[in-house]
Amino acid sequence: MSIRAKAESLWNVDILGKNVLAFQRWQAERRPFKSSKWRTDILAEPLRIGARTKELIGLHYLEGRYANGHRPVAWVTSGGPVEILQALGYYVLYPENHGALCGTRRAVVDISTEAENAGYSRDICSYARTDIGSMLSGKTPVGKLPKPDLLLACTNICQTVLSWYRVLAKHFNVPLILIDTPFVYKEAPQHALDYVQKQLEDSIPTSEKVAGKKLEYKKLQQTLQLSKDATELWLEIMGRGKHRPSPISVFDQFIHMAPIVEMRGERVTVDFYARMLKELDERIEKGIGAVKNERKRLLWDNLPIWYRLRYFAEYLGERGISVVASTYTNAWGELAPLIDVNKPLESMAKTYIYPILNRGTQYKLDTMRRMIDEFHLDGAILHSDRSCKPYSIGQVDQRNRLIKEYGVQALLLEADHDDPRAFAEEQVAARLAAFVEMLED
Amino acid sequence: MDSIEIPKRIETINSFKAQGGKVAAVLPIHYSRALFRAFDILPVEVWGPPEVEASYGGVHLQAYVCSIVHNALSFLKKGGLEIADFILVPHACDSLQGLGSILLDFVKPTQTVAPLYLPRGKRTEDKQFLADEFRALARQLSNLTGKEPGDDKLLECIEREEQADLLLADLYRNRTGLGLDNLSFYRLIRSREYLPAEQFTELAQTALEKHSARNPNGIPILLSGIVPERMEVLKAIEELGGFVVADDFACCGRRLYPKGNERDPFLRMAERIINAPPDPTRGNSIDERAEFLINLAQTYGAKGVIFYELKFCEPELFDLPNLRNSLKQAGLNSVHIEVDIKDPLSNQVITRIGAFLEILE
């Protein structure tokens, strides 16, 4: 460990950064909301918690900026079993989250072009292209990303991550831990659960070696408990969308899901979501809906289109349509009951094999149907995401079945979660218009 | 050049069925042929196929899914797999995973559909897991056939496949001296995709008997990718002055499974796949792949590498920039050509190969 790195982190993060970010948040919370861009005629004011989200994420990336040299750094796939690393004191970076952030900041084309110029095809996942482009060029809207000492790829969201992390492993020349989670077509067989558990056990010595310390069982349990608490709160938050009008839209969820993805296992995340839940309950009490004139309610399937969140919120909001539930954000909450702090590795194996992205097409359809019932929805938008084949394959049949067997309107909308070059503005507008018309019939 | 008479796929299937056996349609890439044969089932592989009306698959799949998956589904929907009693979908990538899932959930063909998950590592637990996957598959095959082959029968089938694979490797080693043009050679190699091991062994032995010391008839090159479809490309390479001395195709060279050592038949099947040449769909590192390709090129005297890739094939596309850099550092030129097996072989592809061969000359 470098004393200089430690001192730099102490000064820039703990003394300066933390206080500046807290002050900025304090100011934002007290300032009356005013924005010439925000359509307050159709949408509720942004959630007040947004100021804290900004603070939390800002601090997370600031910590990352000064992590090398005094703290082990791991780059982890978004569905990865992070608790072991958290308990060992790693700073954990999620390249997918960074990709999403680049998407919302409209930085993807510039950064991705760096990867494309190095020979990476535009047919590979845009998160991966953005990450590789950032790795090759150093470009990032957050200033600087820390170099990893360890990589962890868990295949429970796709096989793409393994191809992607093999590129990172070659570039950074650091160990790559693979947690391979067999795809669950119906139910996971026992040998698949044993296989995942064994890999989790085997990941510990490598993680310990890189961190230079031993994993404390009690610390792992505490981290798991914090993960469980935050995940349960997130599930409750999404459940508030069942109210009419819904106090939260999926576009709010997309923005505020960052901590549940990249800061699971931390106390601050639990506190953050407890506060957010409180704000939503206040909104419910006051009858405030995310969309002011909520008349129709929709489901969003698949990843967000990060660079067009506001476009969708406004286009639909203007027509009294609130998108209140999402299979994607639900994925970060639905597994909370599987976490058992008394059986850490066994329950982690179960939790991490069962995300929706690692399950069959019928399960996804069943999830959509359940959400349509529970949230009293009028239809669904299925984002057919060029960059996410495991989520998208099956959507053609799922859409048809939602319409024919379930009698709800469903739209299959082709785009890409991060790359605006795959977004055909006119085509999307025409399809949305036709869909809205059908919803009104 | 000499040619060799290879039984046709449909003749082989009909003849196997006439003797009371069953047939399994198997999608790419890795599985155990021996396991099927132990249940008197002939595995017949479905790599596309290329010449099929692909729009049938479009009813279920988006345009950005690769043509192997599109064509396989189209072929199935058009009735091309009706002859099969069983369909196996090994988990080679996200797209094949998706195909397996929609077959099970939505398309629901009349035959039993079984997925097979391939671990992405080569650790002890990966081998153990794959062996367990084969055990689970064996239970399904037992339900289908009513047969319960013991360990001896399984080992006998494994050894027969090992023998065929050793001869397959011999064919590669003696490629130059076989007197076969590119297309004939790959027709012979790819007959392993549907011929019973004993028939393939006979064919391979016949081909090897004709071996004599010869030089490559053209510029020696190495091909890499998933599958050499449309196969006319092999003829085109020959006409442009190229001679394919070796390959790193998922359907060919990456399946030169070595002989196993385990006495437990399921572990032995798993071991053979895990120890096969590097393959991105099995999680091998980029360095392993680069080293393998460089060695292959040096062993067979290849002057350059053509990456003949399918559009949208992520496992291949991720590795390409690093592989090409490594080859360059080793003094080997390479070219990346992207194709779609739904399309006929284009003049553009032929022109690019021609230009590449000119550079090598």
Side-chain angles (χ1 to χ4, degrees), chain B residues 81-261:
Chain B
L81 298 184
E82 268 167 24
I83 205 159
D85 304 283
F86 189 87
I87 300 172
L88 182 74
V89 190
H91 191 299
C93 60
D94 291 326
S95 298
L96 278 161
Q97 161 195 297
L99 176 64
S101 200
I102 62 172
L103 287 182
L104 284 163
D105 295 333
F106 303 137
V107 179
K108 296 183 178 172
T110 49
Q111 306 94 329
T112 302
V113 177
L116 173 77
Y117 191 83
L118 289 150
R120 265 58 182 179
K122 42 185 183 181
R123 305 157 293 189
T124 312
E125 58 263 39
D126 297 312
K127 189 162 83 174
Q128 185 61 52
F129 170 77
L130 186 52
D132 287 338
E133 281 287 278
F134 285 140
R135 287 189 186 97
L137 179 58
R139 286 193 287 276
Q140 284 191 283
L141 297 180
S142 183
N143 289 340
L144 176 75
T145 59
K147 293 183 166 65
E148 286 185 0
D151 284 4
D152 288 347
K153 172 76 180 169
L154 283 164
L155 282 169
E156 181 194 318
C157 293
I158 292 169
E159 279 161 10
R160 191 170 54 197
E161 297 295 337
E162 285 178 344
Q163 174 62 22
D165 285 337
L166 286 175
L167 285 166
L168 184 69
D170 272 351
L171 288 174
Y172 273 102
R173 264 193 295 277
N174 295 293
R175 159 78 184 109
T176 315
L178 293 177
L180 295 173
D181 58 38
N182 288 339
L183 190 58
S184 305
F185 179 72
Y186 276 93
R187 280 197 175 132
L188 172 62
I189 294 292
R190 295 194 64 197
S191 68
R192 184 87 180 94
E193 293 168 19
Y194 61 90
L195 282 182
E198 53 278 23
Q199 256 180 286
F200 178 80
T201 299
E202 263 178 49
L203 267 185
Q205 278 166 343
T206 309
L208 286 164
E209 275 161 18
K210 293 181 183 171
H211 174 266
S212 62
R214 297 177 221 207
N215 287 326
N217 189 22
I219 303 159
I221 55 159
L222 195 155
L223 300 183
S224 176
I226 296 292
V227 61
E229 291 286 4
R230 305 285 176 109
M231 281 189 77
E232 300 96 277
V233 72
L234 296 162
K235 199 173 168 196
I237 290 172
E238 189 122 1
E239 285 167 359
L240 292 162
F243 185 79
V244 183
V245 286
D247 77 73
D248 168 51
F249 277 123
C251 70
C252 307
R254 287 182 206 163
R255 297 198 302 172
L256 289 172
Y257 302 118
K259 199 172 177 313
N261 294 311

Side-chain angles (χ1 to χ4, degrees), chain A residues 115 118-121 123-125 128-129 132 155 157-164 166-167 170 177-183 185-186 189 191-192 195 198-199 202 302 357-363 365 383-390 392-398 400-401 412 414-415, chain B residues 58-66 89-102 104-108 115-121 123 125-126 129 132-133 136 139 279-287 289 311-315 317-322 325-326 336 338:
Chain A
Y120 290 92
S121 165
D123 286 332
I124 65 171
C125 165
R129 257 184 293 132
I132 293 168
T155 58
I157 47 171
C158 56
Q159 294 297 327
T160 299
V161 292
L162 181 56
S163 301
W164 169 2
R166 286 159 65 241
V167 173
K170 174 154 177 66
I177 291 177
L178 163 68
I179 306 291
D180 194 8
T181 48
F183 189 75
Y185 290 90
K186 302 287 177 195
H191 70 265
Y195 174 53
K198 180 77 175 69
Q199 293 175 81
D202 286 357
N302 213 327
L357 266 163
N358 205 40
R359 303 198 66 172
T361 42
Q362 182 64 48
Y363 175 80
L365 177 61
H383 167 210
S384 168
D385 184 352
R386 279 179 68 89
S387 273
C388 190
K389 292 189 184 82
S392 304
I393 295 178
Q395 282 181 319
V396 178
D397 286 284
Q398 286 153 354
N400 293 344
R401 278 167 165 74
L412 191 66
E414 190 158 320
Chain B
V59 176
H60 302 272
L61 298 165
Q62 288 94 333
Y64 50 80
V65 176
C66 85
V89 190
H91 191 299
C93 60
D94 291 326
S95 298
L96 278 161
Q97 161 195 297
L99 176 64
S101 200
I102 62 172
L104 284 163
D105 295 333
F106 303 137
V107 179
K108 296 183 178 172
L116 173 77
Y117 191 83
L118 289 150
R120 265 58 182 179
R123 305 157 293 189
E125 58 263 39
D126 297 312
F129 170 77
D132 287 338
E133 281 287 278
R139 286 193 287 276
D279 182 339
T281 68
R282 291 197 343 269
N284 292 98
S285 73
I286 297 171
D287 284 343
R289 288 200 64 204
K311 190 157 174 62
F312 302 121
C313 184
E314 274 201 340
L317 292 173
F318 266 102
D319 289 3
L320 270 183
N322 278 309
N325 278 342
S326 299
H336 171 207
E338 199 167 66

Side-chain angles (χ1 to χ4, degrees), chain B residues 233 240 308 337-339 345-354:
Chain B
V233 72
L240 292 162
Y308 190 77
I337 289 174
E338 199 167 66
V339 292
L345 184 65
S346 72
N347 269 329
Q348 196 190 4
V349 167
I350 295 171
T351 308
R352 291 200 62 206
I353 292 173

